[in-house]
Every structure is written in structure tokens, then in C-alpha cells.
Amino acid sequence: MSNTEYKFEGWAGFGPDSVEGKLKFIEYEPKQFAEDDIDMKILYCGICASDISTLSEGWGELKDMWPQVVGHEIVGEVVRVGSNPKNGIKKGDIVGIGAQCDSCLQCHYCNKDKENYCSKGMTGTYNGKFSRTSEGSKSYGGYANYWRGPSHFAIPIPKELDPAEAAPLLCGGGTVYSPLVEHGAGKEAKNVGIIGLGGLGHFGVTLATALGAEVTVISHSARKQKDAEELGAKHFLITGDDEAKAFKGHERSLDLIICTSNAPDMNIPAYLSLLRPGGNFIFVGIPEGGQVPTIPLFAMVMGNVHIGGSLIASPQTLKDMLQLVADKKVKSWIQKWSLDKVNEAVPSMIAGNARYRYVLVNEKNGGKL
Amino acid sequence: MSNTEYKFEGWAGFGPDSVEGKLKFIEYEPKQFAEDDIDMKILYCGICASDISTLSEGWGELKDMWPQVVGHEIVGEVVRVGSNPKNGIKKGDIVGIGAQCDSCLQCHYCNKDKENYCSKGMTGTYNGKFSRTSEGSKSYGGYANYWRGPSHFAIPIPKELDPAEAAPLLCGGGTVYSPLVEHGAGKEAKNVGIIGLGGLGHFGVTLATALGAEVTVISHSARKQKDAEELGAKHFLITGDDEAKAFKGHERSLDLIICTSNAPDMNIPAYLSLLRPGGNFIFVGIPEGGQVPTIPLFAMVMGNVHIGGSLIASPQTLKDMLQLVADKKVKSWIQKWSLDKVNEAVPSMIAGNARYRYVLVNEKNGGKL
């Protein structure tokens, strides 16, 4: 189908029950190859919570977007380049693709290294449609053998990095790194709080620490306290069921809070009490149909604090992050699964077993378990 | 009562109906004079919406805090200094007092020119109690003949300024100037939106313009469009009853929005659509028992925008603002009322007649109508 010596094949969902271990291996038609595209032989792909929220239709019905091959934390080897490759990419390079694989590349934001906020919207690495080239073609993700898409969004993986560990940095890592840098973690924001120690939260701890911040993990129970400390956190706040009580004595101890949790009943004013004047509380994800509290006007005005949001990371931000990870020898905590066992890995991820990110390994292509 | 040759006398409210023209002229006991205090002969005092929300008990019952002498936009002549005056203040100086008249002066924030976010809380210029000196004494505001309090919070009025025009800058002006500067108006925030053209909003336009920003006024109707333009606004957006419709075509046109309106049914996601990625929407006031919408998580994450709050201004910020006003010859739009007519002025202010700030003139003390 793809006019190449290799086929585009991957594990596809055909309905919301696909997350229950019902992904099927199929061949599919990728976008038409454009001169700034690459083809990549996939070695590793992280399992992101977004994969599950998409497949389960937790973020909305997929309708004509079925079947879905998800996965947007992809690392692999470039096997084809066109006449106009970006990022200096050439055949044989090891590169990564995160949650975004295209944008208009012409607007103010695309020109300012903010492609993730492109004025015309982004093309997601899966569940998206291309428009700049091969208009209308569906995008397919990384639970697959090959990937095709714009080289502009392919991030060279520094040679010092383990490519399997690099994979989950491309979405999970970048998603927390971007607001950490935006709000000065380690610089004007010396004290950083990370709410929730999951896939994103564990990167929040390692990356904020690498940036020079002192990290406080805020978690529901003490269950992950030892992990938090090993990851680099200096403080651990246990909320139990009463955040206001738990935070007594810790008022104004943080400059920045990254919220990787999506509990709909969070006591937002209590969290804001942890912030110093000028501080920011940043959501990095959208819960599945989750309710959120009302705007805590009194706490915001009296405390000079801000609530904001941040969406994934731009290619330049991902490059900066990977360089920091290489320079500071930051470790990702991952467990590897053979891609062939994806129908076991996804339910295990949903069950909350990852510590802290699952990475699918394409052994056929040379990925190492 | 005050051991001075002058008496502390002013117009006091004795209950919520005082805003209906029932303020009574009384003598009261000020705080004990401390060595860093001043006594000021009051010349002018602006009428702030806070005066009304306090007297009407819209922000909560006053209980043992009756009677209330409100007013926190005070300009007058220093008639007494102690042995330890701050800000180089001496007898005969013309100085101003804003909404805050004391704080601990020892904490991290007081030492960083953020006394308005003092860790121990602030003493309001009225409806407050002193604690640093004369512990437990009530604070009394500027609808009066004399004012006594800490010289640290007395701002020298530049000689080039009309002291009557300077008065409302001390709360109304500072309240919008502080977040304008915090979020880089005229620098990284070139395009600034001001919601609501009232007392605060009119300062939002003049001060943001003086800082070099291009200002858009966002208002319910076209009624004040001409005023907005005369004040310096370059654009005027009329919301009518459907903000989302009104803002079509203006998406991502602003870097910063200062909300001086307190409409409880504001379509917050529509306002956020006006902001560029990285932008801020700042509340500067707290409505009387007003409801606010839920946190617009989707709009915040997808748009990288922030909602925050800001409370009045610190002494240093007020000094900076007054210097800018002097340098750029910024005019306050005020109407003057004799202090003796305060019981007419307050109801007229409530009726929405101010264009855009009422200033009470103490003629007996030499204030000029």
C-alpha cells in the first residue's frame, strides 16, 4: 500500500473496548510521502495516558477516526528522507516523535518555537488529520512497525541517551518540562510542587530537580514517598482526604505547582495557599469529562496567585529537555514490554502498575527488551 | 482626645444604611502616635467602590467595627512627624495614603517591596486594626479632617501633580498599575485589554497607555466608547449579551487582560480566547458575594493562558506609578465634591454617575473645589 519495501503495520483499536486488550494488528495506509517527511523504523514507544483516554473515547467519540493506532512517545531509526529534511536529519539517525507531528509552520507561533500553540491548530501524532501536506490523511501513532511524518517534528536523540528511556520524555517529559521552564523552575521558581506521582509526575520531579529546583511531591498517601525521594524530591506532602489540614504550616512555601493529577474534587484554594505571591498553579492535562471547582477568586486576589494551563511541548523545548537530560544524566523510570504484548501492557497501565512509564519494545525492528 | 491641637473628626457610618446618605460627622480616637507615624491634614480623598462595599456590609458584617470612617485615597499635608519618619517625609510635605496603612515590615514580602502581600496580613486604611504599634487600635480613613498612621505607607506626591488628581491613583490607580507592571504591559505585553470602564478601568486605559501598551476596552455597550478613545484606548469591543459572538475574529489579540468588572455570569472561556499563548487574565477585585464560573480547564490548557489575581499596590509600586504619571502627564478624570456633601456624593457614586472618580475636597483644610 505504501510504495515502500516495508509495510505500515501496527496495533489498532476498533472501538472503546480496545483498551481491554483488544487491539488488533493491521496494515494501514500512511500519509503520502512529502519532501520534508521521514519514514522511521520504530524501536520504542511509550504508553501515555492519552492513548487510553483516546481509545476509550473518554475525551470524545472517535466516529470515522476508527481504527486508531495510538502511541506518541516514539523513538526509531530514520530509514527514508526526502529532498528537504529538517533538523539536519539523515538516514540512520535515531529520532523521536512526541504528541504533535505537524502544524502550519507559517504562523507567528510556529515561527516562535511555539508550534504546540499553532494558530491553525496541531496535527496530533495519532487521531489527527494532516493538512499541510497529504491533506485529509489520518495520522497513525507508534504502536507500530513504521512511522511517517514531517521531519520538523522529529527530535534527534542525543547519543548519550538510552533511546528506550528517551521515548516517554517525548510526551510525558515535555508536558511537564515546558511549564517548568516557562515559569522559571530553578531560577525565580526555586521551590516547585508536583501534584501526583505517576508518569508525568515522576518526570516533574526529575526534570525540576535537574533544572535546579527543590521539589515537593504532593500525593494522596505515603505509598510513593520512597520513590519520590529516590527520584530527587526533598519534601513529601500527604493530603489524605483534607488538603486544607494537610497544608497547614506549609503556606507560601512554593513558587510553582505542576498539577499532573486530575482529581475533580481538589480543594483548589488549599493548593493555592501553598503558593507564594506571584506563584503559578499549572494544569497539564484535561481529565475525562472531569468537573473542576469554581474559580477561587478570593484566594487568587488576596494571594496574587495564578492558575494556568500548558499543552505538551514544542520541538525546540523537547530538544532543550533532551540536552538537559543528557547533561545531567537524568534517568527515566521505565518498564519495558514487548510490542507483541501490548494487549497485556495497556490493561496493566490502566490498573496503575507502571513505575512510572511503560515502554513498548519493537523487537522485530531491533528494539532491546 | 488625641492630645493634639487638632481633633480627629470625620464622616462615619453607623450601619449599612449609611451609604444612603446617612454618614454622621463625629470625633474619634486615632491610634497612639508612634515615632514612625505621621499626622496628616487631609485635603482630598477619593471615593472608592471598596468604601461602599465595606459600609453596605457587602463584603461581610462589620459588627464591633462600627462606626466606620472610610476613604483610602487620601492626600494631605504632613503636620506632625515623629523621631523616625520614613520616605524622607517632613512636616509640610504633601503625601498620599492608599488602601494599606501598615504591615509587619519584617517578613520576606515586606522586605521585597511587596507589603501588600505581607505574611502577617495588612492593616487596611479603614476597617483594620493596628498591631505593629498601638496594638488593637482601629484604623480610620479619609472622609475626615486628619489622618494618623505609619509614614512607611505615606507616598510623597510629586510636585508636578495636581494633588486632587493624585488621590484616586492611590487605590484605584495602583490596583490596576500593579498587575500591569507585573505582567509586562508595554514590554512583553504589547496588547492590553481592560474589562469595564469605571474608576479602575479608566486608570487601566491611561496607565497601560502610559506604559506603552496598545489598549482595548471591553465594555457591555457603546455608551463609553468616546470616553475610552479620549482616554487613549485604540480599540473598543462591545460584548452585548454574547461575549463569544462579540469576540469572533479577535482571538489571540491580547497579551494581558485586567478585569475591573465583576459580572458573575462572565463567559470566561470567551475572554480567554482573546489571549495569546502565555497570556494572563487578572482579577483585581472581589465582587460582593459574587459567584464565579468554574475553572475553564480546557481553554487554559489548550491556549496556555492563566487566570490570576492582584491586590492593591505596594508603596514602591505607588511611587513608581506616580512618577510615571508625572513624567507622562497622565490625567485622572475626576469630579470634585465638597466633603460636606459626602452624603450626596456617595449615593451619586452608587448610581454610577462618576466619570470616572469622585474626589471629596476638604475645603476647611485648604482643599480646592
Side-chain angles (χ1 to χ4, degrees), chain B residues 323-341:
Chain B
Q323 195 55 53
L324 177 78
V325 166
D327 292 346
K328 301 272 182 179
K329 303 192 192 329
V330 177
K331 299 291 289 177
S332 302
W333 287 21
I334 61 171
Q335 288 87 47
K336 294 179 182 174
W337 291 76
S338 172
L339 176 61
D340 294 337
K341 294 195 174 168

Side-chain angles (χ1 to χ4, degrees), chain B residues 23-68:
Chain B
L23 296 167
K24 292 173 192 157
F25 195 73
I26 63 163
E27 184 179 354
Y28 52 88
E29 179 73 24
K31 77 188 287 292
Q32 290 177 309
F33 192 86
E35 290 306 321
D36 65 344
D37 280 346
I38 54 165
D39 281 354
M40 179 211 286
K41 186 168 74 169
I42 297 172
L43 297 170
Y44 302 100
C45 183
I47 300 182
C48 181
S50 306
D51 304 351
I52 294 159
S53 290
T54 301
L55 288 173
S56 69
E57 296 191 325
W59 282 339
E61 289 182 35
L62 295 188
K63 296 176 183 168
D64 66 339
M65 295 300 276
W66 295 113
Q68 273 290 323

Side-chain angles (χ1 to χ4, degrees), chain A residues 177-245:
Chain A
Y177 180 78
S178 190
L180 284 171
V181 170
E182 180 183 357
H183 297 288
K187 295 180 180 169
E188 58 272 25
K190 291 279 178 221
N191 295 92
V192 172
I194 303 290
I195 304 178
L197 196 64
L200 268 61
H202 108 281
F203 283 128
V205 178
T206 58
L207 295 171
T209 302
L211 286 165
E214 186 171 308
V215 176
T216 298
V217 168
I218 304 165
S219 192
H220 188 260
S221 75
R223 199 160 52 95
K224 296 178 180 171
Q225 181 159 3
K226 196 163 160 287
D227 285 358
E229 287 162 1
E230 274 187 54
L231 286 161
K234 296 286 181 233
H235 313 280
F236 197 88
L237 279 177
I238 300 162
T239 60
D241 294 320
D242 187 346
E243 291 112 329
K245 194 174 158 195

Side-chain angles (χ1 to χ4, degrees), chain A residues 109 114 117-119 182-183 252 276-278 280 282-283 285-287 292-295 297-298 300-302 304-311, chain B residues 109 114 117-119 182-183 252 276-278 280 282-283 285-287 292-295 297-298 300-302 304-311:
Chain A
Y109 303 99
K114 291 191 171 188
Y117 304 113
C118 170
S119 288
E182 180 183 357
H183 297 288
R252 294 188 171 190
R276 300 195 174 113
N280 283 281
I282 305 296
F283 287 101
I286 297 170
V292 285
T294 53
I295 295 173
L297 199 51
F298 187 81
M300 288 198 305
V301 171
M302 301 304 285
N304 185 218
V305 294
H306 310 78
I307 298 175
S310 181
L311 183 69
Chain B
Y109 302 99
K114 291 190 173 190
Y117 302 114
C118 169
S119 288
E182 179 182 357
H183 297 289
R252 293 189 172 192
R276 299 195 175 111
N280 284 280
I282 305 297
F283 287 102
I286 297 169
V292 285
T294 53
I295 295 174
L297 199 50
F298 187 81
M300 287 197 308
V301 171
M302 301 303 285
N304 185 217
V305 293
H306 310 79
I307 298 174
S310 181
L311 183 69

Side-chain angles (χ1 to χ4, degrees), chain A residues 19-319:
Chain A
V19 298
E20 296 161 17
K22 295 181 182 166
L23 296 167
K24 291 173 192 159
F25 196 73
I26 64 164
E27 183 180 355
Y28 53 88
E29 180 73 23
K31 78 188 286 291
Q32 289 178 308
F33 192 86
E35 290 306 322
D36 66 342
D37 280 347
I38 56 166
D39 281 354
M40 179 211 286
K41 188 167 75 171
I42 297 172
L43 298 169
Y44 302 100
C45 184
I47 299 182
C48 180
S50 307
D51 304 350
I52 293 158
S53 291
T54 300
L55 287 173
S56 69
E57 296 192 324
W59 282 341
E61 288 183 35
L62 295 188
K63 297 175 182 170
D64 66 339
M65 296 299 280
W66 294 114
Q68 274 290 324
V69 176
V70 299
H72 58 204
E73 297 181 335
I74 316 170
V75 169
E77 181 189 338
V78 178
V79 293
R80 181 184 178 189
V81 296
S83 61
N84 186 25
K86 307 298 178 184
N87 294 323
I89 288 170
K90 53 191 188 310
K91 268 178 78 167
D93 284 354
I94 302 296
V95 300
I97 290 287
Q100 176 177 18
C101 73
D102 210 2
S103 66
C104 82
L105 299 186
Q106 295 192 321
C107 74
H108 176 80
Y109 303 99
C110 285
N111 282 318
K112 293 262 185 189
D113 288 326
K114 291 191 171 188
E115 296 90 334
N116 46 331
Y117 304 113
C118 170
S119 288
K120 299 203 172 157
M122 69 163 68
T123 302
T125 296
Y126 56 80
N127 195 27
K129 285 199 174 169
F130 291 95
S131 53
R132 198 174 50 80
T133 65
S134 190
E135 192 177 345
S137 292
K138 267 175 71 175
S139 60
Y140 293 95
Y143 293 10
N145 289 337
Y146 286 85
W147 181 85
R148 172 177 292 171
S151 53
H152 180 92
F153 291 87
I155 315 297
I157 305 293
K159 291 203 189 330
E160 311 91 294
L161 294 190
D162 173 344
E165 285 189 35
L169 284 162
L170 293 159
C171 174
T175 295
V176 291
Y177 180 78
S178 190
L180 284 171
V181 170
E182 180 183 357
H183 297 288
K187 295 180 180 169
E188 58 272 25
K190 291 279 178 221
N191 295 92
V192 172
I194 303 290
I195 304 178
L197 196 64
L200 268 61
H202 108 281
F203 283 128
V205 178
T206 58
L207 295 171
T209 302
L211 286 165
E214 186 171 308
V215 176
T216 298
V217 168
I218 304 165
S219 192
H220 188 260
S221 75
R223 199 160 52 95
K224 296 178 180 171
Q225 181 159 3
K226 196 163 160 287
D227 285 358
E229 287 162 1
E230 274 187 54
L231 286 161
K234 296 286 181 233
H235 313 280
F236 197 88
L237 279 177
I238 300 162
T239 60
D241 294 320
D242 187 346
E243 291 112 329
K245 194 174 158 195
F247 298 160
K248 276 269 185 303
H250 299 276
E251 293 85 358
R252 294 188 171 190
S253 59
L254 302 175
D255 303 296
L256 171 64
I257 296 174
I258 306 289
C259 180
T260 75
S261 163
N262 286 317
D265 55 350
M266 290 177 77
N267 180 347
I268 300 285
Y271 285 92
L272 296 186
S273 77
L274 296 173
L275 284 174
R276 300 195 174 113
N280 283 281
F281 179 103
I282 305 296
F283 287 101
V284 293
I286 297 170
E288 295 187 11
Q291 289 181 309
V292 285
T294 53
I295 295 173
L297 199 51
F298 187 81
M300 288 198 305
V301 171
M302 301 304 285
N304 185 218
V305 294
H306 310 78
I307 298 175
S310 181
L311 183 69
I312 67 166
S314 72
Q316 184 57 50
T317 302
L318 292 175
K319 286 173 205 168

